[in-house]
Amino acid sequence: MNILHTSIVDRLLRAVDRVVAPPTAFAHCDLPCGVYDPSQARVEAQSVKAIQERYQGADKMKSATETVDDYRARCLSIKEERANLVKEHLWVLWTDYFKPEHKEKYPQLHDLFWSATKEAGLAKKSQDPAQGQKLLDSIDEIANIFWETKKG
Amino acid sequence: MNILHTSIVDRLLRAVDRVVAPPTAFAHCDLPCGVYDPSQARVEAQSVKAIQERYQGADKMKSATETVDDYRARCLSIKEERANLVKEHLWVLWTDYFKPEHKEKYPQLHDLFWSATKEAGLAKKSQDPAQGQKLLDSIDEIANIFWETKKG
Amino acid sequence: MNILHTSIVDRLLRAVDRVVAPPTAFAHCDLPCGVYDPSQARVEAQSVKAIQERYQGADKMKSATETVDDYRARCLSIKEERANLVKEHLWVLWTDYFKPEHKEKYPQLHDLFWSATKEAGLAKKSQDPAQGQKLLDSIDEIANIFWETKKG
Amino acid sequence: MNILHTSIVDRLLRAVDRVVAPPTAFAHCDLPCGVYDPSQARVEAQSVKAIQERYQGADKMKSATETVDDYRARCLSIKEERANLVKEHLWVLWTDYFKPEHKEKYPQLHDLFWSATKEAGLAKKSQDPAQGQKLLDSIDEIANIFWETKKG
Amino acid sequence: MNILHTSIVDRLLRAVDRVVAPPTAFAHCDLPCGVYDPSQARVEAQSVKAIQERYQGADKMKSATETVDDYRARCLSIKEERANLVKEHLWVLWTDYFKPEHKEKYPQLHDLFWSATKEAGLAKKSQDPAQGQKLLDSIDEIANIFWETKKG
Amino acid sequence: MNILHTSIVDRLLRAVDRVVAPPTAFAHCDLPCGVYDPSQARVEAQSVKAIQERYQGADKMKSATETVDDYRARCLSIKEERANLVKEHLWVLWTDYFKPEHKEKYPQLHDLFWSATKEAGLAKKSQDPAQGQKLLDSIDEIANIFWETKKG
């Protein structure tokens, strides 16, 4: 079974775990409440990519009540916000969830977050869905590590 | 197989679907970008419940650097914010994602959202994790409908 | 006296009531503080409509220091925010102020709020002041019910 | 007729004006959209005062699910936010609506806004409804000038 | 030594003071915490001016992944936010830091803040860096008074 | 001359540079506008420490219109916000300003930001000004690197 399949199976089993056993709560405020979930960043990044796709197909996606230019201006300002939310959720995960012992086990941790948040910054300047996909991929890489630390 | 099991199997199969097939993007801003996910409200509600639990066990959960009273004051103000986010995510889902055809098929839709957002309001005044669980349950009920409309 | 006139007289009498008797405070946070007022949504909706009008007359409304395109881009992003505030104020009113007994007396309540907040969403995509007027009308319909419940 | 009565009649007539004639839109963003209304600050100030009253009667106002201390902690943090909104709405009115010609006619303008926003700051530190009433009075004084400039 | 030089020497000495002696903390929330610093408004105003410059040289400043029009739309919406922050920081300084005794010594205080915040409003409508410089100058004028009151 | 003195002289010279030469603008939004300044994080951290000091001396610092408990509750919720702003400003600096070449020259960069933002998180749970001082020190360490990269 190749790596891709292994990863799919891993994620499948993880999904099964999350469904069968009631999810234990983790943390995303500094109480801390212990609830963290990389899906928060992912949802916003999906939105970023979807906006980039809509920007490309603006003439088909826009409402009858707005011009292509208006629609694209809205794409840009909404994407700006969504990309900010991606950064925000990632930063919280990096500072608040991950601990020195994780850093030791995953020495790439800092660089992963640095490049993922930089990619989110680039998303503001790019209307190319391939860029949005890169952002999603970098979040998935972080999510994989996150879920591995949860299994431990 | 009783109802509970059926529901677990349903959710399991849905989880499988989401893992095997790459998720299609839907919508959560008014572009609209088409990305919606009830998990956004759920993560915040998990946080609400976790805070209620920590409030109850404040003497064990607090840092050495704060008093029980300080910790509880922080529980209350953070829970206030999280409960607001639950309401926010639910309102967006209700107004932006759901369409009249969904309303026809699920006539309970308005009341579900009304009572779920009211429950989120109650969460600000309650330190009882059982209340937080009720909030989670009401979100799950909405999520079930949401994922059914996605299958259609 | 036709319906329109009756409604004007009703509103006039209500205005008189509010002026002569010092207003009793009601509620708009989840304390709850008991202060609610549909005028909050209305002010933002007036702004939405005013922006749509200015968008149409951009060449006359813009400053000498900006181009028509720049002015219109600003119209769009400011309208986006104002429409969000309309939704926000309406959602708070719906969930926090209205109670089941109101729902029973005004069975159209849920649909009114649903379509008013959807109208606020449409306002982001429309530069037509007639659309903004529809939004204002839907808020006024809600406000009429609100003030009736206050009289009871 | 004493001053108080004159003022009530003035406000009554103004209310009548606003009801009979459809309100013309003015401005509250820097587009500018031209929609301004001192009622925005007033609603938040009413909330401030209502919270101060509830703080005093906490044992009767609180939910069964919270302690008096919890309720009061929530009073304080919500009042903090509401007082901020009062300041915000007043500052916008001062900088964005009022023009040098108004300043000339109402030389007390700057001091009125300065003391009203300072009063809003004091509201964070005071649990006395009489203080909240002073805040409301200072807003009403500004509102009187505002509506006079509209008549001109 | 002319006025300009005197002012440079003043600022130099002040800078020396701030470096050699550990800064005493002052105030910028309504606790109040006593920490105020006009540099907060200044940083945002520098950003406003930098954006105006980039708008002018958009073809050279933009990323390869965005059009000139897209870049300019982003300039406008980001400048809008930054100008808001300038206003916000100035308003806080005006209401929260300055006291009646300062007002007596610097009778121009209210007008300085009024025109500086109005200038920040104009910045939203102007793409001319000279306008941004005027905004910076008006903040520096306020900062000079601020630091003088600190010396007292 | 020991290290401490060297550092003071360095900072003094840097202060002189900033005063004599007009500051060139750098960047703090993703336009990017090029304006960055670690003083933004520092001002908020000064506020955090000042609040911790006031918490300790609550009986002397509080207004006559509030109880010691009320004052402390306000200390906690305001400190929570200020500590969030510290994190925010630091994260922006880390992701947006620093580039791979800086990382190469200052290999400790990631860890510095990680521990500084974690320290800001701890500030929410600690009422000890010594903790706030640690936060300030960690920001100064970052600021030193920042200003060195500016000299290059």
Side-chain angles (χ1 to χ4, degrees), chain A residues 29-32 80 84 87-88 91-92 94-103 109-111 113-114 117-118 120-122 124-125, chain F residues 29-32 80 84 87-88 91-92 94-103 109-111 113-114 117-118 120-122 124-125:
Chain A
C29 57
D30 274 319
L31 182 56
E80 205 88 6
N84 273 340
K87 292 170 97 169
E88 198 67 32
W91 283 329
V92 167
W94 180 58
T95 291
D96 297 354
Y97 171 72
F98 285 104
K99 301 279 169 295
E101 56 267 29
H102 301 135
K103 177 65 209 324
L109 201 66
H110 290 345
D111 279 317
F113 274 99
W114 208 35
T117 48
K118 278 180 179 296
L122 291 177
K124 299 180 183 176
K125 306 173 205 167
Chain F
C29 57
D30 274 318
L31 182 57
E80 205 88 6
N84 273 339
K87 291 170 97 169
E88 197 67 32
W91 284 329
V92 167
W94 180 58
T95 291
D96 297 354
Y97 171 72
F98 285 104
K99 301 281 170 295
E101 56 268 29
H102 300 136
K103 177 68 207 323
L109 201 65
H110 290 345
D111 279 318
F113 275 99
W114 207 36
T117 48
K118 278 179 179 297
L122 291 177
K124 299 180 185 177
K125 305 173 206 166

Side-chain angles (χ1 to χ4, degrees), chain E residues 7 10-11 14 38 106 137-151:
Chain E
S7 143
D10 270 355
R11 290 171 68 188
R14 206 162 60 220
Y106 304 96
D137 292 346
S138 70
I139 293 172
D140 286 343
E141 211 173 336
I142 287 170
N144 282 339
I145 292 180
F146 176 84
W147 292 113
E148 276 181 37
T149 63
K150 285 292 174 196
K151 272 194 295 200

Side-chain angles (χ1 to χ4, degrees), chain B residues 114 118, chain C residues 36 90 92-103 106 109-110 113 142-143 145-147 149:
Chain B
W114 207 37
K118 278 179 179 296
Chain C
Y36 294 105
L90 290 176
V92 167
L93 212 57
W94 180 57
T95 291
D96 297 354
Y97 172 72
F98 285 103
K99 301 281 169 295
E101 56 268 30
H102 302 135
K103 176 67 207 325
Y106 304 95
L109 201 67
H110 290 344
F113 275 99
I142 287 169
I145 292 180
F146 176 84
W147 291 113
T149 64

Side-chain angles (χ1 to χ4, degrees), chain A residues 6-7 15 31 38-39 46 53 63 97 120 123 126 132 144-146 150:
Chain A
T6 313
S7 143
L31 182 56
S39 76
Q46 278 183 290
E53 287 166 348
S63 291
Y97 171 72
S126 170
N144 282 339
I145 292 180
F146 176 84
K150 285 291 174 194

Side-chain angles (χ1 to χ4, degrees), chain D residues 31-45:
Chain D
L31 183 55
C33 70
V35 180
Y36 294 105
D37 195 329
S39 75
Q40 292 191 296
R42 203 181 199 284
V43 169
E44 304 301 341

Side-chain angles (χ1 to χ4, degrees), chain B residues 30-32 84 87-88 91-92 94-96 98-100 103 110-111 113-114 117-118 121 124-125, chain C residues 30-32 84 87-88 91-92 94-96 98-100 103 109-111 113-114 117-118 121 124-125:
Chain B
D30 274 318
L31 183 57
N84 273 339
K87 290 170 97 168
E88 198 67 32
W91 283 330
V92 167
W94 179 58
T95 292
D96 297 354
F98 285 103
K99 301 280 171 293
K103 176 66 209 324
H110 289 345
D111 279 317
F113 275 99
W114 207 37
T117 49
K118 278 179 179 296
K124 299 180 184 177
K125 305 174 206 165
Chain C
D30 274 318
L31 182 56
N84 273 339
K87 291 170 97 168
E88 198 67 32
W91 284 329
V92 167
W94 180 57
T95 291
D96 297 354
F98 285 103
K99 301 281 169 295
K103 176 67 207 325
L109 201 67
H110 290 344
D111 279 317
F113 275 99
W114 207 36
T117 50
K118 279 179 179 296
K124 300 180 184 177
K125 306 174 204 164

Side-chain angles (χ1 to χ4, degrees), chain F residues 28-76:
Chain F
H28 77 315
C29 57
D30 274 318
L31 182 57
C33 69
V35 180
Y36 294 105
D37 196 328
S39 75
Q40 292 191 297
R42 202 180 198 285
V43 169
E44 304 301 342
Q46 278 183 290
S47 179
V48 164
K49 189 188 168 192
I51 295 170
Q52 290 166 329
E53 288 165 347
R54 276 154 174 74
Y55 179 98
Q56 298 300 336
D59 48 343
K60 277 172 200 122
M61 303 304 301
K62 75 173 195 64
S63 291
T65 50
E66 56 191 340
T67 66
V68 166
D69 279 356
D70 290 350
Y71 183 78
R72 285 195 165 147
R74 291 180 57 234
C75 282
L76 293 173

Side-chain angles (χ1 to χ4, degrees), chain A residues 70, chain C residues 55-58 67-77:
Chain A
D70 290 350
Chain C
Y55 179 97
Q56 299 299 337
T67 66
V68 166
D69 280 356
D70 290 350
Y71 184 78
R72 286 195 165 147
R74 291 180 58 234
C75 282
L76 292 173
S77 72

